[in-house]
Amino acid sequence: MSHSSLSALPAPDRLDVTARLRDALLEASFTADGLLELLGAPAYAALARSEIVPALRATRGDTPLEMLVRLFLLQQPVPHARVEGVLPVDACLESGWLVRAGTDEVAATVDVRPYGGAGGEDWFIVSDLGCAVGGAGGIGSREEGVVLGVGGASTTLAGITVRTPVSAALDLGTGSGIQALHAAQHATRVTATDINPRALHITALTLALSGAPAADLREGSLFEPLRDDETYDLIVSNPPFVISPGARLTYRDGGMGGDDLCRTLVQQAGERLNEGGFAQFLANWQHVEGEDWQDRLRAWVPRGCDAWIVQREVQDVTQYAELWLRDAGDHRGDPAEYQARYDAWLDEFEARKVKAVGFGWITLRKTGAAVPSVTAEEWPHPVEQPLGETVREHFERLDYLRTHDDAALLTGHFKLAPEIVQEQVGLPGAEDPEHVVLRQNRGMRRATKVDTVGAGFAGVCDGSLSAGRILDAIAQLVGEDPVLLRDRTPAQIRLLVEQGFLEPA
Ligand SMILES: C[S@@+](CC[C@H](N)C(=O)[O-])C[C@H]1O[C@@H](n2cnc3c(N)ncnc32)[C@H](O)[C@@H]1O
C-alpha cells in the first residue's frame, strides 16, 4: 500500500494547538452557517458536486473567513502574513495542520469542513485534501487509503440513527469520524474502528477540533478489533458497501466479493448488541436472478434481532458500474482503461448472476424475542430526515403488535398520528372515490391505501373509544354485521399501527 501522494497528517496529540485552531475558526465564523452565507446556496451546493470554481469566485476578497475557506476547503495556499492574525500560524505549522508553500505562503495539510450538529453545534470534519465535499471524484484520487469527508451516505446514516442516550456506541468504519462525532453527543463511551489507520488518525482530529471527547480508536477489519466479550447499545456503520470487481479504494470497496461484506456485518452485529440495542447500517445488496431480494436480506438477520430493512433505490448493473466509475473519476482518464474497468464490472455481475443492486438501510434491534419481526420493504420516496425517532418508534410499535393478538387489538385504544391527511383517488367528477389513501406528512412520509372502513376508523381514533367500539359504530352506520367487521378489520388496524398511521394510546 502506498500513501505517497497523501500528505503527512497533523499531530493528533497536540490538543493545545487544536483547541486554539478551533477558537480561531469559530472567531472567523468558519461555521456551516457562515459558509453558506459567504458562498450563497448555489456555490455551496456546487461544492457537493466537487465543483469549486463558484466557491473560488466567492472567496476572492481577503476577509479572515474568505481566507480560511480558500485554505481549508479549496486547497489554495494563502500568504503567511495575511493569516498571521487569524490563525495560530506558527503552532499550526509546527503541529502539522499547515505547511509552508513557496516563499511566503502556507497551505493546509487536510481539508476541514464546517459541519452543523443537530443541536446547532459548530463542528468540523477533517478529511484528506480535496475530499471535504463531493467524494473522491473531485480529486480523481487513485490512492487506496484516501479518507473522504462528508457525503450523502454519511448524513443519511447520521439522520436515521436512533439518538437515545446510551452507555456504549460503536462506529465501525469511522472514516472522517462523522458518525463517532454524532454518537459522542449521546453515548458515554464511543469506540471507532477502521481498517485504515489514516482514518483513525483523522477521526481523532475531527473529534478534537469539534470539541468532542476522544473516542476509543481501534484498527482492524469489521468486528475483529473488539474483545470477545465487548457489546454495545448502538452500532452504526456506513461500510465500504460498493459491490465491485476487486478492492481498489478502501473507503468504498469492501474487498469481500459481492455483498459479502454487508452480509457479514449484519450477521455478526447480533452478538455485539446489548438487549434493546440498535445496529444501523447503510448497505448495498445484490438482486440475483431467480431470487427475491427480500428473501436474501431476511436471511442476513441474526438470531434474537428484529429488523427493518428499507430498500431506497435499485439500479441495474450498468447504472451501478457507471456510478462508481464516475465516483472514482475514472471517466476523466484514459478511455481504453475506462472501458476495461467497465467491462470488468459487468463480468463480475454476470458471473454472480446479478441483475441489479439495491441500496438501503438496515436496522436491527436486539430483543431476544422467540419470533422476531423482520420487515423488508421498498420505499423509494422522499422522507423527512432526521428519522432517528421514527426508527425508534417503529420498533416500539412492533413490540406492541407482538404482544397484542386480534382480540387485544380490539380492546385497545388508538390515536391518529399527527399530520396525516386523506386523499381520495378516482376519476374527475366521479361521485365515489376508487380508493382512499392515507398520507403522512412527517417521518417516512408513507402513503397507504385503505378501504372506507379503514379511513373512517382512522378518522375517529382519538384514543377515547376502544377499536372494537369504533367498529361497532361503523357497522351500524354502514349496515354491516358488526361480528364480521370485528373479524376482518384487525389486519388493517395492524398494518396502520405498523406503518405509524395509528399510535397505541
Ligand atoms: C464509506 S466510508 C464511511 C466513513 C464514515 N463512517 C462516514 O459515514 O462518512 C467506509 C469506511 O470503512 C473503512 N473500511 C473499509 N473496509 C473496512 C473493514 N473491512 N473493516 C472496517 N472498516 C473498513 C474505510 O477505510 C472507510 O473509512
Side-chain angles (χ1 to χ4, degrees):
M1 181 187 302
S2 134
H3 286 159
S4 53
S5 76
L6 295 173
S7 61
L9 294 171
D13 52 354
R14 292 297 308 275
L15 296 181
D16 53 328
V17 180
T18 312
R20 285 172 64 200
L21 176 57
R22 172 178 167 75
D23 289 345
L25 298 178
L26 292 176
E27 174 67 27
S29 296
F30 187 65
T31 59
D33 289 345
L35 192 62
L36 182 59
E37 194 175 325
L38 171 71
L39 299 183
Y44 187 81
L47 283 178
R49 303 189 299 268
S50 307
E51 298 292 351
I52 63 169
V53 173
L56 283 170
R57 292 169 63 87
T59 54
R60 287 187 289 211
D62 60 2
T63 63
L65 180 55
E66 283 163 293
M67 245 165 343
L68 291 179
V69 174
R70 290 207 301 272
L71 186 62
F72 283 121
L73 268 183
L74 305 175
Q75 302 88 47
Q76 305 293 307
V78 301
H80 187 292
R82 289 290 309 134
V83 276
E84 195 114 62
V86 180
L87 292 174
V89 182
D90 291 331
C92 286
L93 281 167
E94 180 234 328
S95 61
W97 285 94
L98 297 176
V99 287
R100 291 186 190 281
T103 46
D104 55 0
E105 290 188 317
V106 294
T109 54
V110 285
D111 276 5
V112 176
R113 171 181 166 164
Y115 176 71
E121 302 91 343
D122 287 315
W123 291 336
F124 301 98
I125 307 294
V126 179
S127 64
D128 266 316
L129 285 176
C131 295
V133 281
I139 51 168
S141 175
R142 304 290 169 101
E143 291 288 346
E144 61 172 325
V146 69
V147 178
L148 297 200
V150 180
S154 326
T155 51
T156 297
L157 178 61
I160 65 171
T161 301
V162 175
R163 299 288 174 202
T164 41
V166 292
S167 62
L170 170 67
D171 172 17
L172 194 153
T174 189
S176 66
I178 175 173
Q179 312 300 339
L181 174 58
H182 277 280
Q185 312 306 306
H186 62 105
T188 316
R189 285 184 300 112
V190 177
T191 305
T193 71
D194 207 290
I195 202 168
N196 181 0
R198 192 172 175 85
L200 296 176
H201 188 154
I202 286 187
T203 291
L205 298 172
T206 290
L207 293 174
L209 195 59
S210 298
D216 184 349
L217 303 172
R218 316 250 193 105
E219 186 183 330
S221 182
L222 296 172
F223 295 99
E224 278 166 23
L226 308 187
R227 289 187 315 270
D228 285 350
D229 61 344
E230 243 174 298
T231 54
Y232 291 86
D233 307 304
L234 175 69
I235 298 174
V236 291
S237 185
N238 167 14
F241 51 64
V242 180
I243 300 169
S244 54
R248 189 153 67 98
L249 296 163
T250 311
Y251 71 84
R252 63 168 220 197
D253 303 316
M256 274 181 85
D259 50 16
D260 278 356
L261 183 128
C262 288
R263 179 181 52 78
T264 308
L265 189 59
V266 174
Q267 284 178 335
Q268 295 186 354
E271 61 198 31
R272 294 299 181 174
L273 279 178
N274 292 329
E275 191 79 12
F278 284 95
Q280 301 192 264
F281 308 109
L282 300 186
N284 281 189
W285 46 82
Q286 300 177 157
H287 285 220
V288 179
E289 239 171 78
E291 181 191 64
D292 184 357
W293 75 266
Q294 276 115 330
D295 290 343
R296 182 180 192 81
L297 272 279
R298 282 202 190 93
W300 292 6
V301 177
R303 222 165 357 112
C305 289
D306 285 349
W308 184 20
I309 299 157
V310 183
Q311 179 166 277
R312 296 284 295 153
E313 192 184 348
V314 183
Q315 291 195 352
D316 69 47
V317 291
T318 63
Q319 292 171 308
Y320 192 78
E322 288 160 29
L323 172 71
W324 297 111
L325 287 164
R326 282 170 184 276
D327 166 82
D330 290 335
H331 59 304
R332 299 203 185 117
D334 172 37
E337 195 180 316
Y338 176 79
Q339 282 193 6
R341 284 192 194 281
Y342 197 150
D343 221 19
W345 222 298
L346 296 186
D347 277 346
E348 170 85 4
F349 284 136
E350 203 172 80
R352 293 177 177 278
K353 295 193 172 17
V354 173
K355 297 171 307 174
V357 177
F359 293 64
W361 316 331
I362 299 175
T363 300
L364 305 177
R365 195 192 50 160
K366 181 97 165 236
T367 62
V371 185
S373 162
V374 177
T375 311
E377 61 172 326
E378 185 150 21
W379 187 251
H381 307 293
V383 296
E384 187 197 39
Q385 284 270 35
L387 279 168
E389 257 311 277
T390 302
V391 172
R392 192 189 60 73
E393 288 165 0
H394 170 91
F395 286 91
E396 207 172 74
R397 291 192 306 265
L398 289 187
D399 279 344
Y400 175 88
L401 290 173
R402 193 185 349 247
T403 51
H404 289 72
D405 61 11
D406 286 358
L409 274 192
L410 291 173
T411 59
H413 293 235
F414 301 92
K415 268 184 159 160
L416 187 66
E419 298 194 46
I420 306 268
V421 294
Q422 169 179 311
E423 291 169 1
Q424 311 215 344
V425 183
L427 283 177
E431 213 158 273
D432 290 321
E434 272 163 34
H435 61 259
V436 175
V437 169
L438 297 184
R439 184 179 295 282
Q440 303 166 341
N441 279 318
R442 308 295 310 270
M444 291 294 282
R445 296 205 166 118
R446 286 180 192 282
T448 195
K449 241 196 231 181
V450 285
D451 61 19
T452 44
V453 170
F457 178 84
V460 193
C461 279
D462 62 1
S464 57
L465 290 178
S466 73
R469 293 281 300 280
I470 295 176
L471 288 182
D472 293 345
I474 293 178
Q476 206 170 34
L477 215 65
V478 299
E480 199 176 327
D481 180 350
V483 177
L484 287 180
L485 202 61
R486 276 177 173 254
D487 221 37
R488 71 174 168 91
T489 316
Q492 198 168 181
I493 299 176
R494 212 165 263 286
L495 190 79
L496 290 175
V497 172
E498 187 186 328
Q499 300 202 337
F501 288 91
L502 293 179
E503 297 165 350

